[in-house]
Amino acid sequence: MTSPSVTTTKPQAAAPAVRPQSATLSTPGHDTGLLLLRLVLGLTMAAHGTQKLFGWFEGGGISGTGQFFTASGYPAGDAMAVLAGLSETLGGLGLALGLLTPLAGAAIVGTLINAIAVHGADAFFAPKGIEYELLLTAGAAALALTGPGRYAVDRFLPVLRSHRLAHGALAVALGVVLAAVLLLVRD
């Protein structure tokens, strides 16, 4: 017999174990896909930059590209050629290596916003459209927002070891603002 002051409780079923979700969705396929995107987009942009800076790959060099910038309404065409060439070359190499990925992506985004503005949005498809520039812009922004994946130099930099969306969003916003400032000084 039990005393009325003692209560008995049924043993409760153990709650199912809840596994914490990983903070990253990184898989070998995901990381390999990001590496492929970084290499193709980054090296393509770096090659475009070397056309402007050094005249490689049948480019205009600083002088020829500077004349184009002047004709497009930018002040100090040669300085703009250097700025665009460095942004494309260093931003492209940064993307390819996965080095300072948010800033590298932002450099490409800012440069390509200006390219789209100069090219004009009269058509979407080539040869007079903006599809190519828009695709490169979206790819660079996506890499800045997602991060470079595991196969990247950023994994060795403490602040970028674990990519944060905020870093990418701030970098892309910076690229857009700087592109807008350059477009404002254009005639």
Side-chain angles (χ1 to χ4, degrees):
M1 192 165 228
T2 58
S3 146
S5 64
V6 176
T7 58
T8 59
T9 59
K10 289 181 161 181
Q12 295 192 7
V18 176
R19 285 203 256 168
Q21 277 191 328
S22 175
T24 175
L25 300 175
S26 184
T27 65
H30 178 258
D31 293 323
T32 303
L34 288 173
L35 174 63
L36 177 63
L37 178 60
R38 283 192 357 253
L39 287 173
V40 172
L41 195 149
L43 294 177
T44 297
M45 290 308 303
H48 275 283
T50 61
Q51 285 181 307
K52 291 171 179 63
L53 292 174
F54 310 116
W56 294 355
F57 310 112
E58 301 177 17
I62 293 173
S63 175
T65 306
Q67 291 172 8
F68 171 78
F69 275 108
T70 300
S72 298
Y74 289 94
D78 286 353
M80 293 303 296
V82 170
L83 180 63
L86 287 174
S87 295
E88 290 177 1
T89 303
L90 297 178
L93 291 175
L95 284 180
L97 295 170
L99 175 63
L100 302 174
T101 304
L103 291 176
I108 300 301
V109 167
T111 302
L112 287 168
I113 287 172
N114 274 268
I116 290 169
V118 168
H119 193 89
D122 296 335
F124 181 75
F125 294 106
K128 295 183 181 185
I130 60 167
E131 64 180 320
Y132 176 68
E133 293 88 351
L134 187 61
L135 183 62
L136 292 172
T137 305
L143 286 169
L145 294 171
T146 62
R150 282 188 292 183
Y151 311 129
V153 176
D154 281 353
R155 288 193 38 117
F156 301 104
L157 302 176
V159 72
L160 294 174
R161 187 171 292 136
S162 63
H163 180 77
R164 291 175 181 82
L165 177 61
H167 292 149
L170 286 172
V172 170
L174 176 66
V176 170
V177 167
L178 292 175
V181 167
L182 285 177
L183 287 171
L184 289 174
V185 301
R186 185 174 163 230
D187 290 337

